[in-house]
Amino acid sequence: MKEIIDLIINSLDKIALILAFVLLIQSNRRIDALEEKIRQMECISDLDNIARELNDRK
């Protein structure tokens, strides 16, 4: 009986590690997506600044 309980606990530990790894990967993907959005916003801001400068020169 103890061997079965140990096997179940060992299996649950492995499942928990796999789930933690999956959550870490998802978290990293979300961070990457947020970083990309920030880069896009910075590019838009840069373009707005360039447009403003061009309008000021006219």
Side-chain angles (χ1 to χ4, degrees):
M1 183 70 175
K2 182 178 178 345
E3 294 168 354
I4 294 173
I5 293 173
D6 287 343
L7 182 62
I8 291 171
I9 291 173
N10 192 21
S11 296
L12 290 174
D13 286 345
K14 289 178 182 176
I15 291 170
L17 283 173
I18 291 169
L19 288 174
F21 186 68
V22 168
L23 290 173
L24 179 64
I25 290 171
Q26 288 178 339
S27 176
N28 284 341
R29 286 182 182 162
R30 288 186 189 126
I31 290 170
D32 290 344
L34 287 172
E35 288 175 342
E36 180 59 29
K37 285 182 183 179
I38 290 169
R39 277 193 289 277
Q40 290 172 355
M41 291 172 66
E42 288 172 348
C43 288
I44 291 170
S45 177
D46 290 345
L47 290 174
D48 287 343
N49 291 338
I50 292 169
R52 225 176 276 120
E53 283 183 33
L54 290 173
N55 284 335
D56 290 344
R57 289 181 184 179
K58 287 182 180 180

